[in-house]
Amino acid sequence: MVVFSSALAMQAQAIAHRAAGKTIGFVPTMGALHSGHAALIKEARRRSDVVVVSIFVNPAQFGKNEDLTKYPRTFDDDVDLCTSCGADIVFAPTVDEMYPDGFATTVSLDRRLTGVLEGEHRPGHFDGVATVVALLFGVVQPHSAVFGEKDFQQLTVVRRLVRDLKMPVDIIAMPVIRDVDSLALSSRNRFLSAVDRSRAVVVPKAVQAAQDALQDGEHDAARIIAAAQRMIDSEPAAAADYIAIVDPHTFAPVTVVDKTARIVLTVRLGGVRLLDNGPLFPGLRRA
Ligand code: PAF
C-alpha cells in the first residue's frame, strides 16, 4: 500500500496504471473510516485491478457555521483499514495541494437538485461535493467510483455530474450498511452519547414505518411521511429536519408513490444530524 499526498504524483501513477491496461476503482472518503467504508473499498477491490482510496476532509463542502475542525481525523486507523480491505493506494492531499492559491473553479448543479432537503439545510454543500469529486476524478482517473447510498442525495448529485459532464467513470452505488439495530453506519455516530445512541434506532424505524405504510396499501406520500414522522415523534429527544419522498433520479417531490421512490430524512438527536433513507417499491405488498 502506497500513500500519495501529491496530486501530480497520484495522477502520474494513475496514468501509468491506465497505460499498462489496468482498471482503477476509486473510493472517495473524508476519513474516519468504518465498516460502511470497508464495504465500499471491498467492492472496488472486487471490480478493479487497482484500488485507490482518497482521504481528504474537504473544506469546500462545510458551511460557515459547520465546524470543520471538529470533523474526526483518524488517519493511522484509516490507513490500516484501507490496507486490510485490499486498497493499493491512499491519496491523502493537504488542503493547499487540492486548492492552491488562485483556485477559482466551482462545479455547481441545478438548485432543484442541490438546493433542496440536505442542500437547503447546508447551503453550498453540494457545490463543494461536486467540485471536489470532479477534482478527485481528474487526479485519480478512475474507471469506476464507489459511493454509499447512505448519502443518497450526494449519490444523485454525483450521478448527475458524471452524466452531464460526460465523465467516463462508472458510478457504483452500495446499499446502506447498518449496525445490528439497523442504525445506518456514519462517522457522526461516534458523537452520540450512549443514551442517544440507543434512542437513534428511531431513525431506521421511521424508514421502516414508511415502507410498512406503503406495503399496507397507502400510496399517498403525505400520509406515508406522516407515518415516519409519528415514529420520530415517539422519541422526544429526536427532531426531524426533514422527511420527504422524492424521485430517486431528480429529487423532485413525489405526491403519489406509484413508481419506485425514495424516502429521505435527517433527524437531529443529541446535537448530531443523522441521515437515513430507503427505497419505496409500490409493487410490494405485505404477505
Ligand atoms: O461522502 C463523503 O465522504 C464526501 O462527501 C466525499 C464524497 C468524499 C467528498 O468529499
Side-chain angles (χ1 to χ4, degrees), residues 131-144:
T131 302
V132 82
V133 168
L135 187 48
L136 286 166
F137 283 2
V139 174
V140 175
Q141 310 254 317
H143 295 82
S144 63

Side-chain angles (χ1 to χ4, degrees), residues 80-236:
D80 287 349
L81 183 137
C82 290
T83 308
S84 69
C85 294
D88 301 294
I89 298 173
V90 165
F91 175 51
T94 60
V95 172
D96 284 346
E97 182 69 12
M98 291 294 272
Y99 301 114
D101 268 355
F103 188 95
T105 301
T106 300
V107 180
S108 184
L109 285 83
D110 192 314
R111 290 283 165 261
R112 278 171 295 185
L113 176 55
T114 58
V116 298
L117 303 174
E118 205 50 24
E120 193 178 345
H121 282 82
R122 304 184 69 188
H125 170 69
F126 288 119
D127 287 356
V129 170
T131 302
V132 82
V133 168
L135 187 48
L136 286 166
F137 283 2
V139 174
V140 175
Q141 310 254 317
H143 295 82
S144 63
V146 190
F147 288 81
E149 286 188 343
K150 201 319 233 80
D151 297 302
F152 199 81
Q153 195 169 357
Q154 167 173 283
L155 172 65
T156 307
V157 166
V158 170
R159 280 185 165 140
R160 172 58 55 184
L161 166 78
V162 163
R163 193 162 136 192
D164 287 354
L165 299 189
K166 304 192 185 347
M167 294 174 166
V169 183
D170 197 10
I171 301 301
I172 315 294
M174 288 290 286
V176 183
I177 307 289
R178 298 181 179 280
D179 217 330
V180 279
D181 63 356
S182 291
L183 180 67
L185 294 188
S186 165
S187 313
R188 297 174 181 175
N189 295 355
R190 70 188 71 201
F191 295 125
L192 290 167
S193 67
V195 64
D196 284 336
R197 173 63 191 80
S198 63
R199 290 168 171 155
V201 70
V202 75
V203 180
K205 277 187 176 168
V207 174
Q208 189 62 55
Q211 291 169 330
D212 289 349
L214 179 65
Q215 281 192 32
D216 286 342
E218 182 59 78
H219 289 256
D220 180 84
R223 292 207 194 100
I224 298 174
I225 290 169
Q229 183 68 61
R230 278 194 297 279
M231 182 57 74
I232 299 299
D233 292 345
S234 72
E235 173 46 70

